[in-house]
Amino acid sequence: MYFKKILASTIMASLVLSGTAMAASKDSFKLPANMHKLTQKQIDVTGDKKADVITLYGQKEKASDIYNEELLLVIKNSKTKQITSISLHDGGYSPKLLLQDLTHDKVSDIMVTADTGGSGGYISSHIYTLKNGKPTELPLPGFSKGKTGLLGTGFIKLKPVALNKSGFYALQGVERDGTNSEDTTSYVTSNWKWNKGGWKLLGEKIEKLNNDQKPSPEMKSTLYKNTKANFGLEIPSSWSGHYKVKHVKSDSMFPSAKHVVYFDYISKDKQDAQSLAIISVYAQNDWKRLSNVDKNQIGSVIGEGNGMVYAVTLPQSNPYDLQSVDGKKFEQMYKDLSLRRTFSILKK
């Protein structure tokens, strides 16, 4: 990758890419090129009772790009000022930085998850403990080495859940019985607690899908073409019958846009519509004139061509109850839309 070529030129970079966490003083640490800060939090992760600074970076050409080629954790010890950097060897969409006590030693652990963007909706996950300043990566829950979860195919969700009011957490994972949304027969939810250096299964739940929840096997993804806005988008089969498209030339939410296209989820009772994605199109000069604040509110750039810039605005959260039919369907449709793979600019 481009990122790896850049880093190979320095000793520090080679250590980062080898998977070894590197400790350095504040003055000697140098952030690798093309790294953009995604999120930053402060909490004690070393056990010295002082809040450390944990920053998650993503490697990409532009800060507005939605896909991160590589993810990098940088931890600054507030007491010693020592900086530790850890390359995760994974990229993805919408990375999350989670800080909870998963190992039950009264010190927060570091967890990073990201959507891989594939049709299976799988995520990548990494968990680190830095007690006493030494970083150690914990295995992911599972019964077999190199395989995660009960099915061994990988998690589509993995998050900390509170065990009690004392601040101790377990992990809750969700797997699909099937490789993608089209052949999924059920979802498996499992809870795991860290115990004596490994994950212990606390319980599991299997939710079988009825025929109304399963996409029709003969239905294939279709290409939506918008010749006015000059882009195409591959619509997953799971969207069929559950969405509508609205194209407007002017919109108060995006006053500088030449085109705005809404892809809305239609609720089961047909009475409600919520945006799954909004694609807005700008002349390059208009996009350059927008402030960074405006650009951040609009969303992320997904393409540039024919003198135009294409940006996508995605929902910040699921607007429905996750346990409801609409909540589950909205979540599935959002996961199935891999914009990096399915978006294209039409040739004039």
Side-chain angles (χ1 to χ4, degrees):
M1 289 184 182
Y2 175 64
F3 170 55
K4 295 182 179 178
K5 290 179 182 178
I6 293 175
L7 298 189
S9 61
T10 66
I11 296 176
M12 178 183 295
S14 64
L15 285 172
V16 169
L17 284 173
S18 69
T20 303
M22 180 177 179
S25 68
K26 179 181 178 182
D27 294 334
S28 65
F29 177 75
K30 183 179 179 181
L31 188 68
N34 277 32
M35 279 292 174
H36 298 272
K37 183 166 72 173
L38 304 176
T39 185
Q40 186 178 81
K41 298 182 180 182
Q42 296 186 36
I43 198 170
D44 178 22
V45 294
T46 56
D48 59 9
K49 308 299 182 182
K50 290 191 175 182
D52 305 300
V53 181
I54 303 95
T55 309
L56 180 64
Y57 291 91
Q59 183 272 323
K60 46 191 175 182
E61 291 188 8
K62 300 177 182 177
S64 58
D65 290 345
I66 61 175
Y67 184 78
N68 301 274
E69 295 288 347
E70 297 272 354
L71 295 172
L72 179 71
L73 269 173
V74 177
I75 303 99
K76 180 182 178 182
N77 187 308
S78 295
K79 184 175 181 179
T80 65
K81 308 305 179 184
Q82 187 180 62
I83 294 176
T84 301
S85 63
I86 307 171
S87 175
L88 303 187
H89 295 297
D90 271 318
Y93 299 91
S94 306
K96 296 180 179 62
L97 175 63
L98 307 168
L99 303 171
Q100 277 89 20
D101 182 9
L102 297 169
T103 54
H104 309 158
D105 58 3
K106 298 184 179 180
V107 178
S108 293
D109 304 299
I110 303 173
M111 181 175 180
V112 177
T113 67
D115 298 332
T116 62
S119 60
Y122 297 106
I123 62 170
S124 64
S125 302
H126 296 273
I127 304 171
Y128 286 90
T129 175
L130 269 84
K131 190 174 183 180
N132 301 321
K134 183 180 179 181
T136 301
E137 183 169 13
L138 304 181
L140 296 178
F143 290 135
S144 302
K145 186 177 181 180
K147 295 185 178 181
T148 59
L150 297 174
L151 303 178
T153 55
F155 291 108
I156 60 173
K157 291 183 183 178
L158 188 64
K159 64 179 182 179
V161 291
L163 278 175
N164 49 46
K165 295 181 180 180
S166 300
F168 297 141
Y169 283 76
L171 281 178
Q172 184 177 88
V174 179
E175 303 164 75
R176 66 164 78 246
D177 190 358
T179 57
N180 54 51
S181 61
E182 295 184 14
D183 62 8
T184 297
T185 58
S186 62
Y187 290 98
V188 180
T189 301
S190 53
N191 293 323
W192 307 78
K193 178 183 177 182
W194 186 258
N195 182 49
K196 297 180 180 179
W199 294 102
K200 178 183 178 182
L201 180 65
L202 295 178
E204 63 184 273
K205 181 177 72 173
I206 300 176
E207 180 189 4
K208 293 187 178 181
L209 300 184
N210 56 44
N211 291 330
D212 292 337
Q213 294 172 301
K214 296 178 185 178
S216 176
E218 69 271 7
M219 299 180 77
K220 299 180 180 179
S221 59
T222 57
L223 180 62
Y224 164 82
K225 288 185 178 181
N226 190 313
T227 54
K228 294 180 180 178
N230 214 51
F231 73 86
L233 188 68
E234 188 178 337
I235 304 295
S237 59
S238 62
W239 283 37
S240 182
H242 299 280
Y243 79 103
K244 67 178 181 180
V245 181
K246 180 178 68 174
H247 180 178
V248 296
K249 287 189 175 181
S250 61
D251 193 297
S252 58
M253 286 180 58
F254 310 94
S256 300
K258 303 296 184 185
H259 303 275
V260 181
V261 183
Y262 288 81
F263 294 85
D264 290 343
Y265 170 80
I266 305 301
S267 61
K268 185 180 179 181
D269 60 9
K270 310 296 183 184
Q271 300 300 310
D272 185 39
Q274 297 287 342
S275 294
L276 282 157
I278 306 171
I279 295 178
S280 48
V281 188
Y282 305 81
Q284 286 183 336
N285 289 336
D286 290 339
W287 181 258
K288 289 179 180 178
R289 281 194 288 267
L290 291 174
S291 69
N292 288 331
V293 173
D294 291 334
K295 292 177 181 178
N296 288 335
Q297 291 176 345
I298 291 168
S300 303
V301 174
I302 53 173
E304 294 186 41
N306 304 320
M308 309 299 285
V309 175
Y310 297 79
V312 63
T313 306
L314 297 172
Q316 296 298 309
S317 61
N318 193 323
Y320 301 101
D321 182 348
L322 290 175
Q323 300 305 314
S324 68
V325 173
D326 283 321
K328 292 174 182 177
K329 189 62 179 178
F330 186 95
E331 191 80 6
Q332 176 189 347
M333 291 169 65
Y334 175 78
K335 288 282 188 182
D336 288 346
L337 181 63
S338 176
L339 286 166
R340 184 177 175 83
R341 178 178 57 83
T342 59
F343 177 84
S344 61
I345 298 175
L346 303 179
K347 295 181 178 180
K348 286 188 175 181

